[in-house]
């Protein structure tokens, strides 16, 4: 089972990574042209419209999606029935959010067509929620090609719509405000819903389940409300709802705070930096995180109930052995992902802040880089590793935590938000750091979330009699009294850290000692930084680590399979 599940998850992650690379390549090119028609203020407004739609959708469906992944009570049909609750919840949530935006954000109502754009976004959020039954079927059956087709086509059509409307308005000399962004979201929603349903209708017929609400029969193990909704899933969903609210505040809290504390110009610069800085997270880390969450749920989930005839000592021993092997496989994959991300972080910390402003000048022009967005983007490079490590560790928590653990996580996140809000207020209002301060506040927030995740992981494996150190040495169970999960196991070696520590100094000292490269302007600077960064990567690759720890280049299980299957995925 571990091998099959890992292979399926790796293939799915590979497809999603290719999707992100392909679709982002097209949208990236179009967005560079679009920037020529936008001001920082207009870009800041687009962030608020996007925040509105994300908020409505998040509260409508996030707890339902996590609950459907966490439990398989009733199979795919029970999860599909549950998805209709998201559609119903969207109607009151959409009107509530729209009323709050229009009544509390008076500054934005002065922007042309802001109210109309908001209502279009409200409709787009509802249309996109209509895809939930089909999306649930895709997740339950691991139809990654369907997801790739839907998300790839929708992103491209959305970008084409926004760019086309702004280009037309500019040619006609018409000020249409932020309407193109809302129109793009509506096209995106219609495309997602249409493609998901088109892919899953034949699958539903072949696998004998329905994409519509269907009656379910209760049993001693599973009871259904109104013969439609699994009560265990509903209870789990309820326990997750409060957590999703806190998580939304932490995830989108930077946008809420900057909307309150910063000008539209600052919002635009931060949005640009977040979009460029988050490219790696969206293209690589997010697909791995999504696949890893499903994988950990499969490997670490509770084994199915056995009948009394099967419930002999031999069957119990076999089931326990299988469960142990599954948890061992999950531990190996988790530790490997965290360790590789930690090594990647060295490159982001050392080379990123110098490289990012130059790349922004190259792709967006001097108007944006000179506005201060280049420095913000350089600071954002410190945030990317936090995103990566939190993503995969939080995926493990979401897939394995009990209701009590999720409740504790909610309280922890609530405390995190207080710290985050305080850090943001100090950065924006007291220290006047602008968008750079907000990035640093986000690093504090994400660091606290990672601390909880690692604490949970340590507890999870300790309770099961195994730890990462023992697993890495050969998969032998450890003595819980003498072995514990150690954060230092996922850190790069001291030799790699020492090599990375001197890179900023080398970058600074070589600015004026390579006159040959200076003749080529930005391209020469990029060549210089790339050469130093490549040398650092080679040193990290060759650095030896203490005996018993995983070498940086030894990529196991999921991560290894992800990149090994990228070539074959190109032929899909």
């Amino acid at each position: 089972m571990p091998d099959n599940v890992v292979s399926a998850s790796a293939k799915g992650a590979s497809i999603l990574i290719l999707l992100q690379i392909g679709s982002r390549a097209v949208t990236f090119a179009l967005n560079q042209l679009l920037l020529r028609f936008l001001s920082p203020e207009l870009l800041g407004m687009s962030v608020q419209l996007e925040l509105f739609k994300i908020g409505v959708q998040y509260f409508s469906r996030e707890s339902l999606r996590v609950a459907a992944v966490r439990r398989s009570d009733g199979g795919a049909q029970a999860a599909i029935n549950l998805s209709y609750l998201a559609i119903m919840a969207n109607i009151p949530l959409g009107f509530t959010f729209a009323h709050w935006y229009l009544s509390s954000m008076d500054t934005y109502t002065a922007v042309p067509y802001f109210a109309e754009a908001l209502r279009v976004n409200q409709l787009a959020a509802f249309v996109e929620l209509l895809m939930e039954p089909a999306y649930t079927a895709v997740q339950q059956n691991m139809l990654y090609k369907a997801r790739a087709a839907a998300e790839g086509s929708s992103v491209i059509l959305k970008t084409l719509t926004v760019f086309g409307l702004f280009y037309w308005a500019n040619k006609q000399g018409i000020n249409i405000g932020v309407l193109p962004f809302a129109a793009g979201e509506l096209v995106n929603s219609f495309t997602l819903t249409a493609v998901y349903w088109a892919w899953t209708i034949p699958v539903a017929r072949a696998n004998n389940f329905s994409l519509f609400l269907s009656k379910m029969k209760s049993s001693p193990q599973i009871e259904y409300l109104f013969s439609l909704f699994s009560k265990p899933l509903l209870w789990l969903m309820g326990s997750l709802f409060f957590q999703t609210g806190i998580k939304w505040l932490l995830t989108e809290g930077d946008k809420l705070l900057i909307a309150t504390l910063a000008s539209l110009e600052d919002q635009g610069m931060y949005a640009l930096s977040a979009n460029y800085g988050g490219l790696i997270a969206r293209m690589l880390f997010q697909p791995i995180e999504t696949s890893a969450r499903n994988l950990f749920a499969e490997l670490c989930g509770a084994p199915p109930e056995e009948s009394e005839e099967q419930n002999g000592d031999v069957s119990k021993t076999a089931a326990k052995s299988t469960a142990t092997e599954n948890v061992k496989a999950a531990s190996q994959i988790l530790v490997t992902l965290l360790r590789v991300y930690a090594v990647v972080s060295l490159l982001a910390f050392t080379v990123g802040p110098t490289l990012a402003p130059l790349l922004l000048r190259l792709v967006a022009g001097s108007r944006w880089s000179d506005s201060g967005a280049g420095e913000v983007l350089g600071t954002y490079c410190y945030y990317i590793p936090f995103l990566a490590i939190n993503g995969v560790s939080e995926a493990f928590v979401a897939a394995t935590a009990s209701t009590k653990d999720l409740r504790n996580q909610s309280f922890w996140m609530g405390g995190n938000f207080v710290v985050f809000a305080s850090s943001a207020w100090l950065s924006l209002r007291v220290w006047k750091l602008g968008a750079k301060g907000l990035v640093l506040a986000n690093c504090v927030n994400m660091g606290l979330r990672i601390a909880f995740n690692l604490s949970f992981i340590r507890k999870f494996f300790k309770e099961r009699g195994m730890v990462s150190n023992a697993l890495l040495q050969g998969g032998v169970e450890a003595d819980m009294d003498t072995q514990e999960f150690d954060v230092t196991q996922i850190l790069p070696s001291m030799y790699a850290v020492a090599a990375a520590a001197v890179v900023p100094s080398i970058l600074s000292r070589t600015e004026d000692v390579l006159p040959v490269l200076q003749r080529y302007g930005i391209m020469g600077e990029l060549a210089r930084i790339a050469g130093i960064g490549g040398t650092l990567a080679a040193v990290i690759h060759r650095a030896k680590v203490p005996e018993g720890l995983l070498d940086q280049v030894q990529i196991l299980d999921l991560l290894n399979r992800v990149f090994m299957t990228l070539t074959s995925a190109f032929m899909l």
Side-chain angles (χ1 to χ4, degrees):
M1 175 180 173
D3 187 67
N4 293 335
V5 174
V6 171
S7 297
S9 297
K11 184 178 180 181
S14 301
I15 295 173
L16 294 179
I17 290 171
L18 288 172
L19 155 71
Q20 292 289 343
I21 294 174
S23 62
R24 293 296 170 186
V26 175
T27 57
F28 182 81
L30 290 172
N31 282 332
Q32 305 322 301
L33 298 175
L34 181 61
L35 285 175
R36 272 59 181 175
F37 303 103
L38 295 181
S39 64
E41 291 81 4
L42 206 55
L43 187 59
M45 279 304 310
S46 71
V47 174
Q48 299 309 316
L49 288 174
E50 184 181 14
L51 180 63
F52 165 80
K53 184 185 175 188
I54 291 175
V56 173
Q57 292 176 329
Y58 197 91
F59 281 95
S60 299
R61 70 189 182 189
E62 185 66 17
S63 60
L64 296 171
R65 284 185 172 185
V66 177
V69 171
R70 287 289 309 278
R71 297 184 67 97
S72 58
D73 307 70
Q77 190 62 58
I80 290 171
N81 284 356
L82 198 68
S83 68
Y84 278 88
L85 294 178
I87 299 174
M88 291 183 280
N90 178 263
I91 298 175
L93 284 172
F95 280 102
T96 301
F97 269 66
H99 176 74
W100 173 57
Y101 260 70
L102 292 175
S103 61
S104 62
M105 298 189 176
D106 298 332
T107 304
Y108 301 153
T109 56
V111 177
Y113 302 107
F114 171 75
E116 291 80 359
L118 189 70
R119 292 301 183 185
V120 173
N121 261 30
Q122 183 182 345
L123 174 61
F126 176 76
V127 171
E128 190 166 326
L129 262 295
L130 293 177
M131 79 172 189
E132 281 304 298
Y135 175 88
T136 302
V138 165
Q139 291 296 100
Q140 292 285 320
N141 292 276
M142 292 188 177
L143 304 176
Y144 293 107
K145 292 183 183 180
R147 183 174 174 185
E151 295 186 4
S153 58
S154 64
V155 168
I156 292 173
L157 289 176
K158 170 187 172 181
T159 308
L160 284 171
T161 301
V162 175
F163 173 75
L165 286 175
F166 270 117
Y167 181 80
W168 172 82
N170 183 70
K171 287 293 185 182
Q172 298 296 321
I174 301 173
N175 183 5
I176 56 176
V178 290
L179 275 179
F181 292 112
E185 291 292 348
L186 189 59
V187 169
N188 176 76
S189 298
F190 271 113
T191 305
L192 279 173
T193 301
V195 175
Y196 267 114
W197 278 84
W199 269 83
T200 51
I201 287 175
V203 176
R205 290 173 180 168
N207 291 276
N208 197 29
F209 65 86
S210 174
L211 293 175
F212 299 96
L213 284 171
S214 300
K215 294 283 187 179
M216 306 288 290
K217 292 183 179 180
S218 296
S219 66
Q221 291 78 25
I222 309 174
E223 293 185 15
Y224 292 91
L225 183 66
F226 307 126
S227 298
L228 293 172
F229 307 113
S230 166
K231 287 187 176 180
L233 283 173
L234 284 174
W235 280 110
L236 180 59
M237 180 200 71
S239 65
L240 289 169
F241 186 79
F242 173 72
Q243 183 193 16
T244 59
I246 299 297
K247 188 176 179 180
W248 180 78
L249 286 175
L250 291 172
T251 303
E252 307 296 337
D254 57 343
K255 298 174 185 175
L256 291 171
L257 286 170
I258 200 169
T260 305
L261 302 174
S263 65
L264 280 175
E265 184 179 5
D266 286 335
Q267 292 182 50
M269 287 193 298
Y270 179 75
L272 183 74
S273 301
N275 286 334
Y276 281 122
L279 275 176
I280 295 177
R282 291 190 298 269
M283 290 171 56
L284 180 61
F285 300 145
Q286 191 177 60
I288 292 177
E289 175 187 340
T290 301
S291 297
R293 181 168 64 180
N294 294 333
L295 173 63
F296 292 141
E298 290 283 347
L299 294 178
C300 300
E305 295 287 338
E306 295 181 348
S307 62
E308 292 184 4
E309 292 81 3
Q310 296 174 323
N311 200 22
D313 292 338
V314 175
S315 297
K316 285 183 178 180
T317 302
K320 183 177 179 181
S321 176
T322 300
T324 300
E325 290 301 318
N326 290 349
V327 173
K328 285 182 179 180
S331 177
Q332 287 180 318
I333 294 166
L334 176 63
V335 172
T336 301
L337 285 170
L338 289 174
R339 185 164 180 80
V340 171
Y341 282 174
V343 172
V344 172
S345 300
L346 288 178
L347 294 172
F349 284 148
T350 54
V351 180
T354 305
L355 182 63
L358 293 174
L359 290 176
L360 181 63
R361 179 179 292 273
L362 183 65
V363 299
S366 58
R367 185 180 66 147
W368 282 96
S369 61
D370 293 341
S371 68
E375 294 182 7
V376 178
L377 182 59
T379 307
Y380 200 91
C381 292
Y382 297 119
Y383 183 50
I384 293 175
F386 286 93
L387 281 175
I389 295 173
N390 177 73
V392 68
S393 60
E394 202 163 81
F396 185 88
V397 175
T400 59
S402 65
T403 302
K404 180 181 178 181
D405 293 323
L406 292 173
R407 187 166 56 249
N408 292 337
Q409 186 185 33
S410 298
F411 290 129
W412 181 270
M413 286 184 170
N416 286 3
F417 184 75
V418 174
V419 176
F420 168 62
S422 301
S423 302
W425 181 81
L426 288 171
S427 299
L428 292 171
R429 288 293 177 88
V430 179
W431 297 325
K432 306 295 183 181
L433 296 177
K436 290 192 296 182
L438 192 57
V439 174
L440 297 176
N442 270 321
C443 292
V444 173
N445 164 39
M446 206 61 67
L448 292 173
R449 288 170 65 170
I450 291 171
F452 176 89
N453 297 339
L454 294 180
S455 175
F456 172 84
I457 292 168
R458 175 181 177 276
K459 175 185 174 184
F460 180 89
F461 289 115
K462 182 176 180 181
E463 288 176 349
R464 283 151 183 80
M466 61 188 69
V467 292
S468 305
N469 188 43
L471 290 169
L472 294 174
Q473 293 177 6
V476 181
E477 291 191 12
D479 180 1
M480 290 189 296
D481 295 330
T482 59
Q483 298 278 1
E484 292 185 355
F485 179 84
D486 188 358
V487 176
T488 59
Q489 295 175 22
I490 65 174
L491 297 178
S493 71
M494 57 183 295
Y495 306 102
V497 174
V502 301
V503 167
S505 177
I506 295 174
L507 287 171
S508 176
R509 292 174 181 272
T510 56
E511 285 184 357
D512 301 321
V513 299
L514 297 175
V516 175
L517 294 178
Q518 291 180 4
R519 291 186 297 178
Y520 296 95
I522 293 179
M523 299 307 298
E525 280 291 287
L526 291 176
R528 177 178 66 87
I529 296 171
I532 296 173
T535 302
L536 172 63
V539 171
I540 293 175
H541 176 90
R542 303 288 296 179
K544 296 181 179 180
V545 296
E547 184 178 357
L549 293 182
L550 182 68
D551 189 85
Q552 289 94 333
V553 297
Q554 186 185 2
I555 302 177
L556 300 176
D557 295 324
L558 178 62
L559 196 61
N560 180 55
R561 296 168 196 253
V562 165
F563 292 105
M564 290 298 291
T565 55
L566 277 176
T567 303
S568 60
F570 270 111
M571 302 178 63
L572 295 172

